[in-house]
Amino acid sequence: MFSLRPRIRSTVLKQSNLARIKSLSTASGYSATSSDGPSASDVSSAKAYCVDLLRKYDSPSYTLLAFIPPPTQPAYLAIRAFNLEIARIADHVSTPQVGALRLQFWKDNITRTFAGAPPKQPVSLLLASALSALRTGNSPGLSKSWFMRVIAARERYLNNAPYATLDDLEKYAESTYSTLLYLTLQALPLHSVTADHLASHVGKAAGIVTILRGLPLLAFPVPPNHHSNSKGLGMVEQQRSRTQQGVVTLPLDIMAEVGLREEDVLRKGAEAEGLRDAVFKVATRASDHLITARTMLENLRKGEDVGHAFEHEDEDEHQYELRQSGLDSGNGKMAQQKADTERAFGVLMPAVSTGLWLDKLQKLDFDIFRKELRRREWKLPWKAYFANRRRMF
């Protein structure tokens, strides 16, 4: 005879998990908004919350806010704050299972926000306001599926699982940081294959660099509730550690290629044989994407084609037919590409902060454990200013 205990235990666990998801909302006071939507006061407070979140935990995005057109800034803040909220989950939970519950909470938040009934959670309220503004302007709005894509990518690596290959790391960057740029372009609103193509390369570079930046803190995690990303490390990917057991998130194929072993990194740190070679190879992939984006900009300036096709153009979320019909030939297409790039340039500015970090890493001979790599980049404001003025990063 089969015992009823496992079945009873499973039922209790399911009920407990559902209760925990609900408690994530009620314990924080995140009840539903009224049917009239968030009030002006709610939106103002939500915007202040998101600005403060970026100031504390993502200083590059906070600095680059100045280059986003004012009408798009609320959407930009909501998108970047959403990313921070998702990225910080692993740093605030004791197990991947609890982290998965919190991610489910955010899936529900996004669903309710796009349905016009956002919870009283600052990021959701600001996002709801941005969505409403886009709809008022007859824009197609933002893609809900792209928010879900970011959550799914974070969930896949919630337990700091290693990337099997460098290509897998690049796919993760495309599903997170490139996708954040796609969403911001939609918020302009701009639906352009050229702008999305540039954003894909910039986002991949930024995502790969974020993983490199976080390597020291994941290999030697700080004790719980003793965080250091308020020092301006940028994206909080580097603080995903939850226990004192370190991990190395370099792609396994690169580690095998250079003969690097995880246990050597955890035991010897910067002195691990092959570590600098592995970091060099991963950083080179990020640099290649920035170089490709620069080359595309240079070609457009010369009145030439960008040089290669956009590999993600056929994905469902990328839709250009309505906007670009009739621009498939001659000077009209080229002029439209240049105009699109001009409008999109502020959104592509993470290329500047990413390039600065890669330059510093090279000057430090790819010693990923150097403290200089974890400091706020004081050059970013004026480097970004001149990059924006020249329209070249």
Side-chain angles (χ1 to χ4, degrees):
M1 180 179 293
F2 294 102
S3 171
L4 292 177
R5 289 183 180 177
R7 191 176 302 172
I8 293 173
R9 184 183 178 207
S10 175
T11 301
V12 171
L13 285 174
K14 288 180 180 178
Q15 292 174 344
S16 175
N17 288 345
L18 289 172
R20 294 180 81 170
I21 292 174
K22 292 179 180 179
S23 70
L24 289 171
S25 175
T26 56
S28 303
Y30 298 157
S31 56
T33 56
S34 68
S35 58
D36 296 330
S39 67
S41 176
D42 287 337
V43 173
S44 178
S45 297
K47 183 177 180 180
Y49 171 89
C50 293
V51 168
D52 190 57
L53 199 64
L54 264 63
R55 183 188 296 115
K56 289 179 178 178
Y57 300 112
D58 186 2
S59 61
S61 292
Y62 174 74
T63 300
L64 298 177
L65 170 66
F67 302 97
I68 301 296
T72 307
Q73 288 185 3
Y76 171 86
L77 287 169
I79 292 165
R80 288 290 165 172
F82 160 78
N83 180 56
L84 284 172
E85 295 280 19
I86 299 301
R88 295 171 68 218
I89 285 175
D91 190 43
H92 290 81
V93 298
S94 56
T95 66
Q97 290 76 19
V98 176
L101 292 176
R102 290 186 179 251
L103 287 174
Q104 181 60 51
F105 166 70
W106 272 101
K107 291 177 185 177
D108 295 340
N109 267 12
I110 293 299
T111 297
R112 292 169 60 187
T113 299
F114 272 81
K120 285 191 174 180
Q121 194 280 338
V123 176
S124 299
L125 291 173
L126 189 59
L127 178 59
S129 176
L131 289 171
S132 177
L134 286 169
R135 289 165 184 156
T136 301
N138 296 320
S139 165
L142 306 181
S143 296
K144 174 186 171 184
S145 60
W146 270 339
F147 283 94
M148 295 302 187
R149 182 184 188 183
V150 174
I151 295 174
R154 298 284 188 188
E155 188 170 21
R156 196 173 304 121
Y157 293 97
L158 189 61
N159 62 348
N160 292 324
Y163 303 93
T165 67
L166 183 53
D167 287 343
D168 287 335
L169 172 54
E170 185 175 282
K171 289 176 184 176
Y172 170 79
E174 167 70 21
S175 295
T176 51
Y177 293 92
S178 295
T179 302
L180 296 175
L181 296 181
Y182 298 151
L183 283 166
T184 311
L185 288 171
Q186 285 187 330
L188 282 177
L190 178 60
H191 299 265
S192 161
V193 64
T194 304
D196 280 0
H197 194 175
L198 285 162
S200 177
H201 287 295
V202 172
K204 286 174 181 174
I208 292 170
V209 160
T210 299
I211 298 302
L212 285 175
R213 298 179 71 154
L215 194 152
L217 289 175
L218 285 173
F220 299 97
V222 295
N225 300 322
H226 290 78
H227 310 310
S228 61
N229 57 353
S230 60
K231 300 298 184 183
L233 297 182
M235 297 303 173
V236 296
E237 190 84 26
Q238 68 268 36
Q239 286 201 322
R240 295 195 299 167
S241 56
R242 294 175 300 276
T243 69
Q244 291 302 296
Q245 180 62 45
V247 294
V248 177
T249 52
L250 290 170
L252 297 179
D253 64 337
I254 298 298
M255 293 176 65
E257 183 180 338
V258 301
L260 175 64
R261 300 187 305 172
E262 182 181 54
E263 56 266 32
D264 289 343
V265 178
L266 300 180
R267 188 172 71 253
K268 300 179 181 178
E271 302 305 317
E273 184 177 354
L275 177 59
R276 295 193 189 198
D277 292 336
V279 171
F280 167 77
K281 288 181 176 294
V282 176
T284 297
R285 179 66 69 92
S287 181
D288 286 346
H289 281 294
L290 289 184
I291 291 171
T292 300
R294 292 189 193 109
T295 302
M296 290 173 64
L297 289 176
E298 291 171 354
N299 288 345
L300 288 171
R301 278 185 174 182
K302 297 174 185 177
E304 300 174 358
D305 187 76
V306 294
H308 63 286
F310 178 31
E311 63 177 317
H312 304 290
E313 182 176 355
D314 294 331
E315 294 178 0
D316 291 341
E317 294 86 351
H318 295 285
Q319 298 181 6
Y320 314 109
E321 293 81 5
L322 292 177
R323 187 179 175 280
Q324 297 195 181
S325 59
L327 297 174
D328 294 333
S329 62
N331 295 331
K333 179 180 178 181
M334 197 61 62
Q336 188 63 63
Q337 288 180 337
K338 293 176 72 173
D340 290 345
T341 303
E342 179 71 19
R343 284 191 63 199
F345 198 84
V347 177
L348 304 175
M349 291 294 278
V352 180
S353 54
T354 301
L356 282 172
W357 191 87
L358 286 170
D359 289 343
K360 185 182 292 185
L361 178 66
Q362 183 177 15
K363 290 177 181 177
L364 296 173
D365 195 25
F366 300 94
D367 183 355
I368 198 70
F369 283 91
R370 289 287 290 270
K371 292 181 179 179
E372 294 94 322
L373 294 170
R374 301 193 293 278
R375 292 175 184 161
R376 188 187 300 269
E377 181 52 75
W378 62 270
K379 295 180 183 179
L380 178 58
W382 66 273
K383 284 282 188 179
Y385 169 79
F386 285 110
N388 186 63
R389 187 173 179 178
R390 295 192 305 264
R391 286 299 196 257
M392 179 61 67
F393 41 74

